[in-house]
Amino acid sequence: MPGSPARGAAMGGGPRGLRKSWTELLAGRVKKQKYDPEREQKLKDSALKLLRYHQNMHDLLLEVEEPRCKMVRLGELIGCDGAETSSDRSAPFIRSAFRDQALRLGVPVGVLSASVFAHSVQQVCLEPSHPVLLSPEQSKKLSCLLVIARHLLAHNMFSRLTFCQELWKAQNSLLLEAVWCLHTHGVVSLQELLQSHPDTEAMTMWLFKSLRFLCEQIGASCPSSGAVGAASCPSSGAVGAASCPSSGAVGAASCPSSGAVGAVLSGIVQMLISRGFQESSDPRRLVEPEKMSQVATDVLQRMLAFSLDTLDAAPQTTLGHQAVSGWITVYSGHTCCGMVSEDSLKSFFSHTLTQILTHKPVLKVSDAIQMQKEWSFAKTHPLLTDLYCRVLVTLGPEESVGRLQEVLEMQEVNWQHVLSCVSTLVVCFPEAQQLVKDWVASLMARAFESYHLDSMVTVFLIVRQATLEGPYVFPSYADWFKESFGSSHGYHSCSKKTLVFLFKFLSDLVPWEAPRYMQVHIFHPPLVPSKYHSLLTDYISLAKTRLADLKVSLENVGLYEDLSSPGDIAERESQAVQDVKKAIMVFEQTGKIPMPVLEASIFRRPYYVSHFLPALLAPRVLPKVPDSRAAFIETLKRADKIPSSSYDAYRKACATAKEKQPENATSGQRTEPDCAEQPLGLLTAALEELRALMTDPTHYSVISAQVSVVSERLSAALGHSSDDGSLRRSKIQLSVLPPTLQTQEQEVVDLLLTAFCQNLMAASSFVSPERQSPWAVLFVRTLCGHMLLPAILTRLCQLLCHQGPSLSAPHILGLAALAVHLGECRSMLPEVDPGVLAPASSLCVPDFLNILLTCRTRDSLLFCMKFCTAAISYCICKFSAQPPASLHNCLSPGLIKKFQFVVLRLFPEARAPCGPEHTACVPWRPLYLPSADWQSAALSLWRWDSFQELLKEKEFYTTTPHSPVGSQAAGAGSRVAQHWHCAPLRETTSGCYGPLVIKCGSALTSAFHYRRHDFHQWAIYERYFPAPAALGGCGGDLEAACTVLVSELMDFYQSSRSYKHSEDSDLVLGGRTGNEDILSRLQEMAVDLELDQGSAVPHGCSTPQSHFLFRVFRSRLQALARADSMATSLRRQQEVLIYKRILLRLPPSVLVGSPQAGQPMSPNCEEFFNLVNSELRNFCCHGSVLTYDITTHFFRGLLSMCLRSQDPALVANRTLTECQTKCPVILTSALLWWSRLEPVLCSRWKTCYQSTLPRELQRLQEAREFASNFASDSASPAPSPAWISAAALHFATRDLRKENVSAHLKRLDCEREELLTALLFFSLMDLLSSYLNQRDTAEYLTAMDICAEVLMCLERRKVSWLMLFQLAETDAKLGHLLHLAPDQHSRLLPLAFYSLLSYFGEGAAVREEAFLRVAVDMYLKLVQLFVDGETSIVLPQASRSLKLQGHSELQGSPIQLMTKARVFLLQLIPQCPTECFANMTELLAGRGDCDPEVSNALRQRQQADPHFDLYQEPQLF
């Protein structure tokens, strides 16, 4: 507007040559001109065009002008009270400016505004006064920014995603309170912000650290527990203020008060719990990002683990303890303020309790037995007891006890946490005391019923822990032991076997338990029959020997035991004083001599005379009025319980007591050492002097002299002299999951390891390893000569196995060199027993160090590569004068094999063959430099020609059939497949190359996925597949490769189920990244094999070829024992489930086998039929059907076979007809799932063949239609065969409500007898399934009603149904039904028979001759079921449920059911005609002892006249 008056006025001078402000100009124009809306709009447009030029968006927010101020910048705007008002006036200008700038830059306006505001928030958070909180000034600035951001959001001019991405670029300066303000003010939710972070691990660590600082603030401002608790109170005003986005709470939150800060913590925890512990029924769960759920649970778990680790550390007050004090406040039901569902809250607290109980399960049971006295309620850290109380209050005592029981049965536990939790439970929750007693009783019953040792251990630990809290909480240990084992009604009194079990357990406790408990066992022994008294005497002899070894006398047990005392055994004099006090107290109450005193005066005379009486008769000034003590002494004197000489001496001593002063026998003082840390300081100085000598590491004499000084100082620091006792030990026992060290040991070991690493780096900077003196060997021998080897190995386990990825390059190099020198001294070192970490019972030190290198995650894989590279390179350099084959003298062959795997796994360029002339140098020297390139070093070592020659030795083969492939990375297997395939199987979801779920748009993740895929392709098809069989390969045999791969997969999943790490305990085949990839390779190979075999079928060959998958499974099942016990049954069931899941991942044509010769080509389903009939029918059935997945897989395979045949309909009909006789369960399964199968089958068949379904499929379709229309008047007749129609009718009836069953089955009287009989069979199977289910009472009642209706219909039509309980495979009519019944259902048929007792017709028993025989047979089998214990699987829980429903059948125990059956038989026998007793002798043969009375009644009735009286005196002999 060059001609504008405003421009001239602005540029021209006024009276004083000053420019007029924009406001003055506008004000003048308003006064002179009338209001014109159209002119006003034109003026605004002109002004915007003018301001559009030379605009800076970052300066825009700092130069917004408002009418009341001159040039108000953003800082001034933030300081104004009317931020909302000013923002509203400047908002149109801001919006327009953003639009113009975005148009000029060619970017979306939302992206531009988000970037600008992210930069502004970052500027606000710079130079914070607190690690997570905002200052008051920062809060004001942020408040105004949030107002503007919300305004832009309201106009769709703000990109949340871009804002999050830009904000995370300055993560280190981002404050948690600022993030929370963004969440509460609705700019961007905390969930959206966290989800947008590109690095989940980094974001998790940021949130974890921020929460720690926040909790430190809470703990520092609220040191008392009451204040801490108040901080999380939902009634606090600050909570509501902080959660309201429009209340201006940002400024309030900046104050570091406990209420405001607690509100931030409370809100974040609410979000984490609601996202991490949503119930599966929550509809938000379907769209909830899995990443957010993982982050939430990970942060909560890390905070709890940090709290537990901090409380386990030194008890002094530290910042860590302040953080723990603040974090514990979140474990309260009030914290969530109704924002989290009750189910999610319970799930969170249940998960918390589980994590506490299983946190670092280091201690063994023997340790718990010895140390549990230190874990009482009073001795537990107050913050830990506070945590227990908060969790237990929310869960409630009953659920808490149940959770304790479940965790103890299923997982490895931290015994200290378990037992201290039990103490808190019984002390703080009185109602829990009875729950604990009931739990103990159930464990005792289980222990003696099944001789379960773990239950026995748990009982004694829990009881002893509860007794530590005093008799007001739990009976004393002596009372409990007497009550449990001191009578003939005790758990141990059942048989000799239970007695042996008890005394064997008590004997095993002797080496570990405290003397007081052994004294209780001796003084209150279990009641034992006289003929087994030798068991008791043997135990007492063992316990007395142990007490003698401990120099503890049996007399040390006082008259009144106090097992809650901290000490194991009190001094005799102090115990006697306590006994005197308690005896006097009892005497005051009763006026009689206490019974323990009388018993001691007779049976424990030495203790009574030597200790009790001297304590009672201690000289004192006698009162004028005799007190209780004097009266008690006189009473004992009158009872002749005090010798006259002792009494006279007591009286004389009391008379002279006033003239003597008591001597102070405890006036000694302890002398504190002058300098407790002086030995450690001297050792540090000696190590520093040794490091100074490393400038010339070739001076052996000087260095060896200094090493001797170090050895001497080390002896002083450890408090013992140097000896070789540790070297002479045959084995070192280590606890490595996770390892722990005492504080003093860890300080010394850390000092020595640090010195070794520093010395190595210093020496290597001057001289290469091969030119150095053997100082390192001297140093290692010094360490091993001071009995420090177990501590050093434990610390190495901590560093390598648990902290490896966090180690720096100098640490890695130093520890790798130390491993080499420990291997060099292997002949001097004992073997190591690492427990569960390795399958072998003991390992040499190099092999032990090798198994510490795990390859489960990307970080651990990279660390393994670095450590192996450093160790091998150092070893080659150090011993360069020796041949390369000597490497195995210092390093484990498994480590070299692991290096091969890691290099080939990480670096694709290493898979190319090395040139024969390549002579790369050994990369040790560059490694100690700060800028060490590990990848180049590893590749240089790999390409070194001497190293490649070394790998050709048999000991270092990675394809040797019996090579022990080291570490969990590759497992310990017998074939190359375990090395090259089981290592990827163990990769976790944060594994070596990307997460399990590959997210769209992540190029890096996709690249990782492709690299992993390429490695598997190379390892299988280029490395393993072409390798000759002599080297562990398969020699190009595709079937052999598939066979080995399937076997290794199944072995891996079996071992994963039994492995003690929780991350390996799932059975999901795709639960790991490596699993999916290996399964994909198996699928590819299976398809190739199928194509090869299909093209190679010899013409005219009538013998079908067995599929390799069935051969593998058949051989594995043959190796397993039959399911004669619960353990073997579960193992077999697990094997079947794994096999089934692998089968479902392979092409469905596997199920139908290779086609048989001839035209038309027909499937060969024999092997699948055998699998179904022998295994799947028992383990994968629900009633008489298979699961949907295996059913539809079979039909997909059938359709694929039909596609390859010239007559598809004929092939389908033949196969399904064959199913009727060989595998009918497939047809019943198809009927059940027909509603889901029919659309797929019809669609595919019509698409491929343009015709109707084959006849046998139509038969299934007709059967379903018949069942659906059965109750209608237009129902069609039942199609044949009758049992298929019966199955369809049964499935349709089962889905009805209970009250509609009778109406639906009203037309049964018109149906064929074959259909009715088969329908009863299916109804019986369903009834037994409802028994085994034990969860749904309505299901049982419906099944019972269906059975009753069908049975009554058969009775009305006088159709025999007894053959269903006497089925045999030779039965032409009903024999095929046996294939429909699982083995367990067949065994439980007697249960179904007698559950229908009340529905039997009145004349049925007499009308049919076979009825009595069947009834007797069912009764004898029922008794045998009871003897075998199978009735306990079904009846107890079912009975309780049915009793609640008022149902008459099966109420009570199995004995009551057998009693009803027995009474029924005894009443039936006299009514049956003589011909019913034919062949009864054969029936009773071998089973007459099951019930002699019934057997005798049958035999007498068989020989008696018609007037036989059942109730006459039986002749039993």
Side-chain angles (χ1 to χ4, degrees), residues 1337 1437-1447 1449-1452:
T1337 305
Q1437 296 188 24
S1439 302
R1440 288 193 293 269
S1441 300
L1442 298 174
K1443 192 171 183 178
L1444 293 175
Q1445 297 291 333
H1447 207 277
E1449 281 72 20
L1450 283 181
Q1451 292 182 10

Side-chain angles (χ1 to χ4, degrees), residues 604-680:
R604 300 182 59 192
R605 188 77 179 171
Y607 173 79
Y608 179 78
V609 174
S610 302
H611 301 286
F612 182 78
L613 285 183
L616 177 64
L617 302 178
R620 63 174 184 142
V621 178
L622 295 176
K624 296 181 180 179
V625 179
D627 56 5
S628 300
R629 187 187 192 99
F632 181 53
I633 292 174
E634 294 300 324
T635 303
L636 288 175
K637 179 64 176 67
R638 289 193 299 270
D640 293 331
K641 298 300 180 183
I642 300 179
S644 299
S645 58
S646 300
Y647 181 77
D648 294 341
Y650 163 70
R651 298 295 296 184
K652 291 178 182 180
C654 290
T656 58
K658 292 182 180 181
E659 302 176 1
K660 296 183 179 181
Q661 294 294 329
E663 296 182 0
N664 187 3
T666 60
S667 60
Q669 296 180 357
R670 295 180 58 190
T671 302
E672 297 293 334
D674 295 336
C675 182
E677 298 182 355
Q678 185 177 5
L680 194 60

Side-chain angles (χ1 to χ4, degrees), residues 865-877 887 891 895-896 899-900 903 907 910 914 918-924 927 933-951:
M865 180 269 295
K866 295 176 182 180
F867 188 89
C868 293
T869 302
I872 298 174
S873 300
Y874 178 81
C875 189
I876 292 176
C877 282
L887 246 65
L891 295 176
L895 185 139
I896 298 177
F899 174 74
Q900 298 179 62
V903 170
F907 311 124
C914 296
H918 193 82
T919 56
C921 61
V922 180
W924 164 255
L927 287 178
D933 186 351
W934 289 102
Q935 179 174 347
S936 299
L939 290 175
S940 298
L941 175 60
W942 175 259
R943 293 165 180 163
W944 190 43
D945 51 354
S946 298
F947 183 74
Q948 287 295 322
E949 290 295 325
L950 176 70
L951 297 183

Side-chain angles (χ1 to χ4, degrees), residues 232 265-266 269 273 326-333 335 348-349 390:
S232 61
L265 178 64
S266 175
V269 170
I273 296 176
W327 177 250
I328 286 179
T329 61
V330 308
Y331 294 100
S332 171
T335 302
F348 166 65
F349 278 94
R390 290 170 178 269

Side-chain angles (χ1 to χ4, degrees), residues 111-269:
V111 173
L112 178 63
S113 62
S115 301
V116 171
F117 275 90
H119 177 77
S120 301
V121 173
Q122 294 168 9
Q123 294 297 319
V124 170
C125 293
L126 289 178
E127 299 180 359
S129 59
H130 190 274
V132 292
L133 300 178
L134 296 168
S135 65
E137 183 180 355
Q138 289 173 320
S139 297
K140 289 183 178 180
K141 293 180 180 180
L142 185 61
S143 295
C144 290
L145 285 177
L146 295 178
V147 171
I148 298 173
R150 286 195 296 172
H151 179 81
L152 292 176
L153 276 171
H155 290 81
N156 295 324
M157 296 178 62
F158 190 84
S159 171
R160 285 190 171 97
L161 179 60
T162 304
F163 178 72
C164 295
Q165 293 172 349
E166 294 294 324
L167 202 60
W168 281 124
K169 292 180 180 179
Q171 171 182 311
N172 294 333
S173 62
L174 195 60
L175 300 182
L176 181 63
E177 187 179 3
V179 172
W180 180 247
C181 291
L182 293 172
H183 172 79
T184 56
H185 285 69
V187 175
V188 59
S189 67
L190 183 59
Q191 175 186 347
E192 184 178 359
L193 188 62
L194 295 179
Q195 186 181 348
S196 65
H197 199 291
D199 188 349
T200 302
E201 181 65 23
M203 179 262 293
T204 303
M205 286 303 302
W206 174 83
L207 185 56
F208 165 67
K209 292 179 180 178
S210 299
L211 286 176
R212 280 182 53 186
F213 286 121
L214 193 66
C215 293
E216 287 178 9
Q217 178 66 38
I218 295 177
S221 60
C222 303
S224 64
S225 61
V228 173
S232 61
C233 179
S235 61
S236 174
V239 175
S243 60
C244 179
S246 60
S247 63
V250 179
S254 64
C255 177
S257 63
S258 62
V261 179
V264 176
L265 178 64
S266 175
I268 294 176
V269 170

Side-chain angles (χ1 to χ4, degrees), residues 528 1017 1036 1264-1265 1484 1489:
V528 178
Q1017 290 286 116
R1264 286 292 297 184
E1265 293 176 356
L1484 297 175
D1489 295 337

